mmCIF file of all heavy atoms in Angstrom:
data_model
loop_
_atom_site.group_PDB
_atom_site.id
_atom_site.type_symbol
_atom_site.label_atom_id
_atom_site.label_comp_id
_atom_site.label_asym_id
_atom_site.label_seq_id
_atom_site.Cartn_x
_atom_site.Cartn_y
_atom_site.Cartn_z
ATOM 1 N N PRO A 1 0.810 -1.207 0.000
ATOM 2 C CA PRO A 1 0.000 0.000 0.000
ATOM 3 C C PRO A 1 0.851 1.267 0.000
ATOM 4 O O PRO A 1 1.971 1.279 0.492
ATOM 5 C CB PRO A 1 -0.780 -0.110 1.307
ATOM 6 C CG PRO A 1 0.148 -0.842 2.230
ATOM 7 C CD PRO A 1 0.850 -1.845 1.352
ATOM 8 N N TYR A 2 0.275 2.342 -0.569
ATOM 9 C CA TYR A 2 0.897 3.659 -0.534
ATOM 10 C C TYR A 2 0.256 4.425 0.623
ATOM 11 O O TYR A 2 -0.977 4.552 0.685
ATOM 12 C CB TYR A 2 0.681 4.383 -1.863
ATOM 13 C CG TYR A 2 1.481 3.744 -2.977
ATOM 14 C CD1 TYR A 2 1.028 2.591 -3.615
ATOM 15 C CD2 TYR A 2 2.712 4.263 -3.370
ATOM 16 C CE1 TYR A 2 1.773 1.983 -4.614
ATOM 17 C CE2 TYR A 2 3.466 3.663 -4.374
ATOM 18 C CZ TYR A 2 2.985 2.518 -4.984
ATOM 19 O OH TYR A 2 3.734 1.908 -5.971
ATOM 20 N N ILE A 3 1.047 4.909 1.532
ATOM 21 C CA ILE A 3 0.553 5.497 2.763
ATOM 22 C C ILE A 3 0.765 7.010 2.721
ATOM 23 O O ILE A 3 1.905 7.483 2.644
ATOM 24 C CB ILE A 3 1.243 4.875 3.990
ATOM 25 C CG1 ILE A 3 1.008 3.360 4.002
ATOM 26 C CG2 ILE A 3 0.716 5.505 5.285
ATOM 27 C CD1 ILE A 3 1.831 2.604 5.005
ATOM 28 N N ILE A 4 -0.327 7.764 2.752
ATOM 29 C CA ILE A 4 -0.282 9.229 2.719
ATOM 30 C C ILE A 4 -0.167 9.712 4.163
ATOM 31 O O ILE A 4 -1.099 9.569 4.953
ATOM 32 C CB ILE A 4 -1.536 9.816 2.043
ATOM 33 C CG1 ILE A 4 -1.822 9.105 0.705
ATOM 34 C CG2 ILE A 4 -1.365 11.311 1.842
ATOM 35 C CD1 ILE A 4 -0.736 9.214 -0.318
ATOM 36 N N ASN A 5 0.984 10.295 4.503
ATOM 37 C CA ASN A 5 1.292 10.608 5.892
ATOM 38 C C ASN A 5 1.048 12.064 6.274
ATOM 39 O O ASN A 5 1.566 12.530 7.298
ATOM 40 C CB ASN A 5 2.759 10.245 6.183
ATOM 41 C CG ASN A 5 2.948 8.742 6.271
ATOM 42 O OD1 ASN A 5 2.266 8.072 7.022
ATOM 43 N ND2 ASN A 5 3.887 8.210 5.489
ATOM 44 N N GLY A 6 0.271 12.800 5.502
ATOM 45 C CA GLY A 6 -0.024 14.199 5.824
ATOM 46 C C GLY A 6 -0.849 14.824 4.721
ATOM 47 O O GLY A 6 -1.517 14.116 3.955
ATOM 48 N N ASP A 7 -0.795 16.141 4.631
ATOM 49 C CA ASP A 7 -1.524 16.870 3.591
ATOM 50 C C ASP A 7 -0.563 17.187 2.454
ATOM 51 O O ASP A 7 0.259 18.107 2.560
ATOM 52 C CB ASP A 7 -2.104 18.169 4.157
ATOM 53 C CG ASP A 7 -3.153 17.910 5.234
ATOM 54 O OD1 ASP A 7 -3.987 17.014 5.033
ATOM 55 O OD2 ASP A 7 -3.120 18.601 6.271
ATOM 56 N N TYR A 8 -0.698 16.437 1.358
ATOM 57 C CA TYR A 8 0.241 16.580 0.239
ATOM 58 C C TYR A 8 -0.521 16.790 -1.065
ATOM 59 O O TYR A 8 -1.737 16.606 -1.131
ATOM 60 C CB TYR A 8 1.146 15.348 0.153
ATOM 61 C CG TYR A 8 1.973 15.139 1.402
ATOM 62 C CD1 TYR A 8 1.848 13.978 2.154
ATOM 63 C CD2 TYR A 8 2.856 16.115 1.832
ATOM 64 C CE1 TYR A 8 2.585 13.788 3.315
ATOM 65 C CE2 TYR A 8 3.600 15.937 2.986
ATOM 66 C CZ TYR A 8 3.460 14.783 3.730
ATOM 67 O OH TYR A 8 4.192 14.620 4.878
ATOM 68 N N ALA A 9 0.233 17.179 -2.094
ATOM 69 C CA ALA A 9 -0.372 17.483 -3.387
ATOM 70 C C ALA A 9 0.421 16.837 -4.509
ATOM 71 O O ALA A 9 1.630 16.616 -4.396
ATOM 72 C CB ALA A 9 -0.436 18.991 -3.598
ATOM 73 N N ILE A 10 -0.275 16.548 -5.593
ATOM 74 C CA ILE A 10 0.354 16.161 -6.849
ATOM 75 C C ILE A 10 0.325 17.413 -7.709
ATOM 76 O O ILE A 10 -0.718 17.802 -8.245
ATOM 77 C CB ILE A 10 -0.414 15.009 -7.516
ATOM 78 C CG1 ILE A 10 -0.497 13.802 -6.585
ATOM 79 C CG2 ILE A 10 0.242 14.610 -8.838
ATOM 80 C CD1 ILE A 10 -1.478 12.737 -7.040
ATOM 81 N N GLN A 11 1.452 18.082 -7.820
ATOM 82 C CA GLN A 11 1.492 19.356 -8.534
ATOM 83 C C GLN A 11 2.933 19.702 -8.882
ATOM 84 O O GLN A 11 3.870 19.276 -8.223
ATOM 85 C CB GLN A 11 0.907 20.478 -7.658
ATOM 86 C CG GLN A 11 1.718 20.734 -6.400
ATOM 87 C CD GLN A 11 1.138 21.826 -5.525
ATOM 88 O OE1 GLN A 11 -0.074 21.885 -5.339
ATOM 89 N NE2 GLN A 11 1.993 22.686 -4.994
ATOM 90 N N GLY A 12 3.117 20.465 -9.969
ATOM 91 C CA GLY A 12 4.464 20.892 -10.341
ATOM 92 C C GLY A 12 4.516 21.394 -11.767
ATOM 93 O O GLY A 12 3.600 21.171 -12.570
ATOM 94 N N SER A 13 5.592 22.053 -12.097
ATOM 95 C CA SER A 13 5.758 22.623 -13.431
ATOM 96 C C SER A 13 5.873 21.555 -14.508
ATOM 97 O O SER A 13 5.632 21.815 -15.686
ATOM 98 C CB SER A 13 7.001 23.516 -13.461
ATOM 99 O OG SER A 13 8.158 22.779 -13.085
ATOM 100 N N ALA A 14 6.224 20.324 -14.112
ATOM 101 C CA ALA A 14 6.336 19.218 -15.068
ATOM 102 C C ALA A 14 5.000 18.518 -15.310
ATOM 103 O O ALA A 14 4.948 17.496 -15.992
ATOM 104 C CB ALA A 14 7.365 18.198 -14.576
ATOM 105 N N ASN A 15 3.923 19.081 -14.754
ATOM 106 C CA ASN A 15 2.586 18.491 -14.892
ATOM 107 C C ASN A 15 2.573 17.017 -14.473
ATOM 108 O O ASN A 15 2.297 16.119 -15.276
ATOM 109 C CB ASN A 15 2.078 18.629 -16.331
ATOM 110 C CG ASN A 15 0.604 18.232 -16.463
ATOM 111 O OD1 ASN A 15 -0.135 18.195 -15.477
ATOM 112 N ND2 ASN A 15 0.200 17.931 -17.688
ATOM 113 N N PRO A 16 2.839 16.728 -13.207
ATOM 114 C CA PRO A 16 2.912 15.332 -12.761
ATOM 115 C C PRO A 16 1.547 14.646 -12.787
ATOM 116 O O PRO A 16 0.537 15.226 -12.388
ATOM 117 C CB PRO A 16 3.434 15.454 -11.330
ATOM 118 C CG PRO A 16 2.980 16.810 -10.885
ATOM 119 C CD PRO A 16 3.073 17.681 -12.094
ATOM 120 N N ILE A 17 1.545 13.421 -13.268
ATOM 121 C CA ILE A 17 0.354 12.580 -13.268
ATOM 122 C C ILE A 17 0.697 11.291 -12.513
ATOM 123 O O ILE A 17 1.668 10.606 -12.865
ATOM 124 C CB ILE A 17 -0.113 12.226 -14.696
ATOM 125 C CG1 ILE A 17 -0.297 13.496 -15.542
ATOM 126 C CG2 ILE A 17 -1.384 11.390 -14.648
ATOM 127 C CD1 ILE A 17 -1.370 14.437 -15.061
ATOM 128 N N VAL A 18 -0.069 10.967 -11.495
ATOM 129 C CA VAL A 18 0.090 9.694 -10.801
ATOM 130 C C VAL A 18 -0.879 8.695 -11.415
ATOM 131 O O VAL A 18 -2.101 8.902 -11.398
ATOM 132 C CB VAL A 18 -0.169 9.842 -9.287
ATOM 133 C CG1 VAL A 18 -0.191 8.468 -8.617
ATOM 134 C CG2 VAL A 18 0.911 10.710 -8.648
ATOM 135 N N THR A 19 -0.337 7.639 -11.982
ATOM 136 C CA THR A 19 -1.143 6.555 -12.556
ATOM 137 C C THR A 19 -1.152 5.398 -11.567
ATOM 138 O O THR A 19 -0.101 4.996 -11.064
ATOM 139 C CB THR A 19 -0.557 6.100 -13.899
ATOM 140 O OG1 THR A 19 -0.494 7.223 -14.785
ATOM 141 C CG2 THR A 19 -1.412 5.015 -14.526
ATOM 142 N N ILE A 20 -2.335 4.854 -11.283
ATOM 143 C CA ILE A 20 -2.459 3.820 -10.258
ATOM 144 C C ILE A 20 -2.962 2.528 -10.886
ATOM 145 O O ILE A 20 -4.005 2.503 -11.549
ATOM 146 C CB ILE A 20 -3.398 4.266 -9.125
ATOM 147 C CG1 ILE A 20 -2.918 5.604 -8.534
ATOM 148 C CG2 ILE A 20 -3.476 3.208 -8.044
ATOM 149 C CD1 ILE A 20 -3.751 6.112 -7.383
ATOM 150 N N GLU A 21 -2.216 1.456 -10.662
ATOM 151 C CA GLU A 21 -2.559 0.152 -11.221
ATOM 152 C C GLU A 21 -3.704 -0.505 -10.452
ATOM 153 O O GLU A 21 -3.979 -0.191 -9.286
ATOM 154 C CB GLU A 21 -1.337 -0.773 -11.178
ATOM 155 C CG GLU A 21 -0.202 -0.370 -12.098
ATOM 156 C CD GLU A 21 0.950 -1.348 -12.044
ATOM 157 O OE1 GLU A 21 0.996 -2.192 -11.117
ATOM 158 O OE2 GLU A 21 1.807 -1.274 -12.940
ATOM 159 N N ALA A 22 -4.345 -1.467 -11.117
ATOM 160 C CA ALA A 22 -5.431 -2.226 -10.499
ATOM 161 C C ALA A 22 -4.941 -2.935 -9.238
ATOM 162 O O ALA A 22 -3.816 -3.441 -9.186
ATOM 163 C CB ALA A 22 -5.974 -3.248 -11.489
ATOM 164 N N GLY A 23 -5.799 -2.950 -8.211
ATOM 165 C CA GLY A 23 -5.509 -3.666 -6.980
ATOM 166 C C GLY A 23 -4.696 -2.902 -5.955
ATOM 167 O O GLY A 23 -4.514 -3.373 -4.827
ATOM 168 N N VAL A 24 -4.208 -1.726 -6.302
ATOM 169 C CA VAL A 24 -3.384 -0.934 -5.374
ATOM 170 C C VAL A 24 -4.262 -0.382 -4.246
ATOM 171 O O VAL A 24 -5.415 -0.023 -4.452
ATOM 172 C CB VAL A 24 -2.681 0.210 -6.120
ATOM 173 C CG1 VAL A 24 -2.117 1.244 -5.160
ATOM 174 C CG2 VAL A 24 -1.583 -0.349 -7.022
#
């Protein structure tokens, strides 16, 4: 599992995209 440990963002000048696989 991916554990989010606070208040975070997916953001940046490189236009980040988080792709999540099935079952995650």
